Amino acid sequence: MMSANMCTRLLYHVGSSRLSTSFTPGLYALSASSFSLNVLHSRACSSRGRRSDGDSNQVRVQGLSSPVHKLEFQLGRLQIDGLLRANEQSVRIPEFDRRGGPSPVLKFESNQFAANSPLEDRRSTATCLQTRGMLFGVYDGHGGHACAQVVSERLPYYVAVAMMSESGLEDLEAAMETLRPVPPILQWYKHHNDYNYRESAALYINHLRVYWQELLASEEHGDGMSPDEALSYAFQRLDSDLSLEAQVPQASDLMRNTAVQAAFAGCTACVAHVGSEGIFVANAGDCRAVLGVQENDGSWSALPLSLDHNAANTAELERVRSQHPASENQTVIVDERLLGVLMPLRGFGDVRFKWSRELQQSVLENGGCDLEALNIYQYAPPNYLTPPYLEATPEVTYHRLRPQDRFLILASDGLWDELDSEEAVRLVAEHLTGVHLQAPVSASQRQLSLGQMHQLLLRRQARATPAIDLNAATHLIRHALGTNEYGEMDQERLSVMLALPDDLARMYRDDITVTVVYFNSSLNKSSRNN
């Protein structure tokens, strides 16, 4: 067994290049001016209905069938800004990497805003120290935060190790054998509000070591896997480890509880490896990666680098149905959910959709956990006939960076529920260039009278001012929560959305995590000429 210090050094080598802003506002201020929450109900019906957890139908019906809540909240400008910026992060990347090569990334900006208490989303950003490239990830948890937490801590290591050469892995193993300092694998960029399961570090390292020992035993590993192979293999291997760790004894009750919680909760994941060769995106679930492209004429477009794995994806529906007997065609997907329960059709954890009924019962009954305290209950979805129904195998895409590729947006579905890909790219482009880009007139706006259209144009003109937020991720979150039905920022609406108490917030919005990655366009030009 390794010492705690050695585990910490290997798992948590955190980069010193970090800039963050934090402000903790006071409690909500009641206002004499009323802003009824019924103005939010139409939005709740259209977007908040797309929740990932199994209890979403019940929550939605209760929230929208109850009498209109007459809450009178108004937050001051400083309170709004403090809430929105509490988790923001902005990091400029050194021009050259540790090996002397130019970095394809100039900087990244990230932020998170919670609807659940505690927040169920997670994020990760790290530089691969033994290979070239950076890893950016967003993780959307459901059924609690446990699975997203574990995956966000461990998945970047699994990817990085798979890309390492055989000689690099041998150095790791030799250091472990002789109790010498282990060469760091990743340089992390963490916000001080980001969590770590340090109590389970020894378990994570032990399984990571088994992982690289198996890679060493493979005669074909050689110079290491390519980024796309590493991403695909790491997703599947980590999910397998999560499943195994929940079934076997652990060194402590805390580690046992953590392992069982992570397996029975779930999360989706979207991870991008950005290197000089381009971008590889691995996605499992309904997080999304979108590229912001600036054409030669100055116009902007959104290029999706991932596909959502949900019922809106026809190919994904066919994939899921093809893995089960024809007799289950009508029951595998019900009400646009897997077995009528789960919205995403790929993901980590969620062993209720992977294990046999007998294995689930055995682990829950014989594991020695306080299941009620862990919020875990014996439950099998209806029509659970031929498991597994869910897998963590990602869909991997590749894009070679070009001079016109300016930035990448990675975000959980809490953002995409409120903004489409084109809107998000337009907002970041405005933030980047300082040039206000008018959104097209929507169908609802075409029905306005001349007087109303005049007022709309005046509001648009007033909106063409410098962005309030220095951080583009915060800029996106502000607009996702504060944009009204006409596509314009509404401060009163934003104030109400931020002031919702915990028991109401989840009915009107989701956790939102956003990372915006800016590319080194000069590097892209040179790579194109080679």
Side-chain angles (χ1 to χ4, degrees):
M1 294 293 291
M2 292 172 296
S3 69
N5 287 338
M6 183 177 295
C7 294
T8 301
R9 283 201 304 272
L10 182 56
L11 277 179
Y12 305 111
H13 181 80
V14 182
S16 59
S17 175
R18 180 191 304 169
L19 175 65
S20 61
T21 303
S22 179
F23 172 76
T24 304
L27 296 176
Y28 307 124
L30 291 178
S31 168
S33 62
S34 173
F35 188 82
S36 176
L37 284 185
N38 64 337
V39 300
L40 301 178
H41 275 298
S42 61
R43 198 175 198 180
C45 289
S46 61
S47 62
R48 292 282 65 76
R50 300 201 319 106
R51 292 188 43 195
S52 302
D53 55 279
D55 298 327
S56 55
N57 285 328
Q58 179 181 0
V59 173
R60 189 170 65 252
V61 170
Q62 290 176 349
L64 298 182
S65 62
S66 60
V68 173
H69 302 280
K70 293 290 186 179
L71 300 180
E72 299 178 352
F73 292 134
Q74 182 176 344
L75 299 179
R77 174 66 176 273
L78 289 178
Q79 289 176 303
I80 289 175
D81 291 350
L83 285 169
L84 287 174
R85 297 172 184 171
N87 294 311
E88 70 177 6
Q89 182 183 28
S90 180
V91 176
R92 183 166 291 276
I93 304 302
E95 184 178 356
F96 296 96
D97 62 25
R98 291 166 61 100
R99 299 187 172 199
S103 172
V105 176
L106 286 177
K107 65 176 181 177
F108 72 89
E109 295 172 336
S110 183
N111 200 355
Q112 295 183 293
F113 192 79
N116 292 289
S117 182
L119 173 78
E120 294 183 351
D121 279 5
R122 292 294 185 268
R123 59 185 170 180
S124 65
T125 301
T127 295
C128 299
L129 297 178
Q130 305 298 326
T131 59
R132 293 186 183 273
M134 294 187 67
L135 290 167
F136 300 88
V138 293
Y139 313 88
D140 188 347
H142 49 266
H145 64 272
C147 187
Q149 176 64 44
V150 170
V151 173
S152 68
E153 289 187 59
R154 301 173 66 181
L155 184 59
Y157 282 108
Y158 279 59
V159 177
V161 164
M163 292 190 295
M164 290 176 61
S165 67
E166 183 175 348
S167 61
L169 297 179
E170 288 173 345
D171 289 343
L172 291 180
E173 181 61 22
M176 296 286 283
E177 282 287 344
T178 58
L179 300 180
R180 290 186 287 109
V182 179
I185 299 171
L186 296 174
Q187 175 177 328
W188 287 93
Y189 302 92
K190 288 183 177 289
H191 188 272
H192 61 82
N193 286 341
D194 292 344
Y195 302 95
N196 287 317
Y197 278 171
R198 295 185 182 273
E199 297 82 359
S200 298
L203 172 66
Y204 299 167
I205 289 298
N206 288 336
H207 274 216
L208 186 66
R209 185 182 183 185
V210 170
Y211 175 58
W212 77 54
Q213 287 173 339
E214 291 180 5
L215 292 175
L216 280 171
S218 170
E219 297 180 356
E220 302 176 355
H221 190 69
D223 293 331
M225 297 183 188
S226 61
D228 56 332
E229 294 172 328
L231 286 163
S232 182
Y233 189 72
F235 270 61
Q236 296 172 77
R237 176 54 186 262
L238 177 56
D239 192 56
S240 176
D241 280 357
L242 294 179
S243 177
L244 175 63
E245 290 161 8
Q247 299 176 49
V248 299
Q250 299 298 342
S252 69
D253 289 344
L254 179 59
M255 291 172 63
R256 171 67 175 162
N257 290 344
T258 299
V260 172
Q261 273 190 308
F264 277 85
C267 82
T268 63
C270 188
V271 176
H273 178 274
V274 183
S276 56
E277 70 273 41
I279 309 171
F280 293 88
V281 173
N283 184 53
D286 50 12
C287 296
R288 190 182 303 171
V290 178
L291 194 67
V293 181
Q294 187 176 29
E295 306 297 348
N296 292 333
D297 62 2
S299 63
W300 290 85
S301 61
L303 178 63
L305 295 187
S306 67
L307 297 174
D308 298 347
H309 297 135
N310 54 33
N313 184 334
T314 303
E316 188 68 4
L317 286 178
E318 291 302 316
R319 182 193 67 82
V320 173
R321 290 191 174 117
S322 69
Q323 296 178 347
H324 302 277
S327 58
E328 294 186 60
N329 279 349
Q330 302 304 312
T331 59
V332 172
I333 305 294
V334 178
D335 294 332
E336 299 187 339
R337 298 170 186 272
L338 186 64
L339 299 177
V341 178
L342 193 67
M343 181 69 75
L345 302 181
R346 304 192 197 193
F348 286 89
D350 280 317
V351 294
R352 287 192 180 95
F353 298 87
K354 298 173 180 176
W355 290 355
S356 68
R357 290 176 186 266
E358 294 74 21
L359 178 56
Q360 293 181 45
Q361 184 174 359
S362 173
V363 169
L364 292 176
E365 290 182 355
N366 303 320
C369 298
D370 186 343
L371 300 180
E372 186 172 354
L374 298 179
N375 198 29
I376 298 175
Y377 303 95
Q378 293 191 33
Y379 167 76
N383 301 301
Y384 196 74
L385 305 174
T386 55
Y389 288 89
L390 187 71
E391 62 183 63
T393 305
E395 190 169 16
V396 182
T397 60
Y398 168 71
H399 177 82
R400 183 177 182 182
L401 282 172
R402 309 163 299 175
Q404 61 266 40
D405 300 329
R406 301 295 301 278
F407 56 81
L408 175 70
I409 304 172
L410 286 171
S412 59
D413 73 334
L415 181 78
W416 308 118
D417 284 347
E418 312 298 345
L419 301 174
D420 62 32
S421 298
E422 291 73 19
E423 287 176 306
V425 166
R426 176 176 60 83
L427 286 166
V428 176
E430 288 179 357
H431 191 272
L432 176 63
T433 63
V435 177
H436 179 60
L437 307 172
Q438 296 291 2
V441 176
S442 66
S444 62
Q445 290 171 341
R446 296 192 188 102
Q447 309 301 320
L448 299 177
S449 66
L450 287 177
Q452 291 171 322
M453 182 63 73
H454 178 66
Q455 292 299 317
L456 174 61
L457 294 176
L458 288 177
R459 289 199 301 271
R460 283 191 164 195
Q461 184 178 4
R463 180 170 166 249
T465 57
I468 297 174
D469 303 296
L470 296 177
N471 186 301
T474 309
H475 184 67
L476 283 174
I477 295 174
R478 184 185 296 270
H479 281 265
L481 298 178
T483 300
N484 63 21
E485 58 188 309
Y486 299 113
E488 303 301 319
M489 173 57 62
D490 186 327
Q491 284 297 119
E492 196 169 15
R493 181 189 196 90
L494 178 62
S495 177
V496 171
M497 289 293 283
L498 299 189
L500 290 170
D502 291 345
D503 59 344
L504 285 179
R506 191 59 184 90
M507 292 192 293
Y508 293 94
R509 52 180 170 82
D510 197 358
D511 296 334
I512 301 177
T513 296
V514 182
T515 296
V516 181
V517 183
Y518 297 92
F519 302 121
N520 186 343
S521 57
S522 61
L523 174 64
N524 301 342
K525 291 178 183 177
S526 62
S527 64
R528 183 184 65 172
N529 296 330
N530 290 337

